[in-house]
Amino acid sequence: MSAADPSCTTPLLNNELSSVAVLNDFDKKSKPVETDISGSLFARKDEYSDITFEVGNQKLYAHKSVLFGRSPKLDLLFQTSLSQGGLKSNTYQVTSPCTAADFAAMLEFIYTGAVNWETHRSCVLNPSTLLALAKEYGLPALMAECDKHLTEKLSHQMLHIDDQFCFSLVQAYLMCSLYHTPSLRRLSDSLLAVHADRVQRFIFRSALRVNLLFENNEGVLHQLVRLLRRKKQSPAARLVQTNRRKMCLFMILFIFVLVLVTALAQLLAD
């Protein structure tokens, strides 16, 4: 057999080297899916994006093939656009009261099944807004993710019982009244039973702040106030108040004894 003709092998070798170079260049530029989605996927238009969401003055680019079948509202939007000859420029104006970051987080959840709270921290994601979007677009899994996140956040705030904790607890009660958040409801109910007196005093002391929170939901606020009055009279609340009084009396007695011992020691030293 004759040796292979170098003129035939050279083009093949060049093609292989070219393919390797392209793949290496792609590896350098590519990012993990989670990083890319949380970063800039929705902020740039590519050749495959076929739907644009306008949120305020910002545009988010997405893909109908990914979104279809995930949200009843989006499905209805796509089907209506097909029956009417298509959306104008495939653009949809988002009328929900949310920021572009919140809406992008909802899209991210549809794509990945998770919300990267750490990546979006600089954007200040609003869990209550995400809950509203989850309810509007029919995404119970996103609602469960927000429920989990809010429960963990409130659990961490239990370490410092201050006005911010009381505000978070009142806010949690409001969200539990508006959305299906079973884990948050169980935790907030138990905390309200223990800290009913403190939360009630916070509501009266910060009336303006609380009224702004419950704007358009005054009935829920009245319901919370009635609930706190009942919980203040519950055995658990009375036990907590009794323990607090005992602790205060113990501290007063301890200080008195300490002062007395110090005074006696000085007298004996003299």
Side-chain angles (χ1 to χ4, degrees), residues 5 44 97 140 155 263:
D5 186 0
R44 66 173 185 265
S155 299

Side-chain angles (χ1 to χ4, degrees), residues 37 53 67 83-84 95 121 123 153 166 172 235 261:
I37 287 179
F53 296 96
L67 300 177
S83 63
Q84 295 179 353
T95 58
R121 180 173 293 178
C123 300
K153 185 177 179 181
C166 292
V261 170

Side-chain angles (χ1 to χ4, degrees), residues 74-264:
L74 291 177
D75 287 352
L76 180 61
L77 171 69
F78 298 153
Q79 292 170 4
T80 303
S81 66
L82 288 174
S83 63
Q84 295 179 353
L87 289 173
K88 183 180 180 181
S89 301
N90 285 321
T91 301
Y92 174 67
Q93 182 69 44
V94 177
T95 58
S96 308
C98 66
T99 64
D102 293 323
F103 199 84
M106 185 194 76
L107 293 178
E108 175 187 342
F109 184 84
I110 295 176
Y111 275 65
T112 66
V115 176
N116 197 332
W117 302 97
E118 295 296 327
T119 302
H120 283 289
R121 180 173 293 178
S122 60
C123 300
V124 192
L125 288 182
N126 191 337
S128 59
T129 302
L130 281 181
L131 278 171
L133 288 173
K135 183 178 181 180
E136 179 182 352
Y137 285 85
L139 301 170
L142 176 57
M143 194 170 293
E145 175 68 21
C146 294
D147 181 25
K148 176 184 175 183
H149 175 75
L150 288 168
T151 303
E152 292 175 353
K153 185 177 179 181
L154 185 59
S155 299
H156 293 156
Q157 291 179 318
M158 290 168 53
L159 300 175
H160 304 284
I161 310 300
D162 52 12
D163 280 358
Q164 183 57 44
F165 166 77
C166 292
F167 181 79
S168 298
L169 190 52
V170 170
Q171 189 178 37
Y173 181 85
L174 173 62
M175 285 186 281
C176 290
S177 301
L178 299 177
Y179 311 109
H180 180 65
T181 51
S183 298
L184 185 62
R185 177 175 289 279
R186 285 193 296 270
L187 178 60
S188 61
D189 283 349
S190 62
L191 291 175
L192 285 172
V194 175
H195 303 287
D197 183 59
R198 181 185 291 270
V199 174
Q200 188 177 46
R201 283 188 279 110
F202 165 78
I203 290 176
F204 292 132
R205 189 171 62 250
S206 308
L208 179 60
R209 187 181 181 188
V210 173
N211 286 331
L212 287 175
L213 175 64
F214 284 85
E215 189 177 11
N216 301 324
N217 293 286
E218 294 85 357
V220 179
L221 177 58
H222 296 157
Q223 181 182 357
L224 173 59
V225 172
R226 290 194 298 269
L227 177 66
L228 291 173
R229 288 173 180 169
R230 291 198 303 270
K231 288 185 178 296
K232 282 180 62 177
Q233 301 171 358
S234 66
R238 287 198 297 269
L239 179 61
V240 171
Q241 292 176 0
T242 302
N243 291 335
R244 286 176 180 170
R245 293 192 187 99
K246 289 181 179 178
M247 183 62 68
C248 290
L249 290 173
F250 174 78
M251 292 299 298
I252 293 172
L253 180 61
F254 176 77
I255 294 173
F256 175 77
V257 171
L258 184 62
V259 171
L260 182 61
V261 170
T262 303
L264 291 174

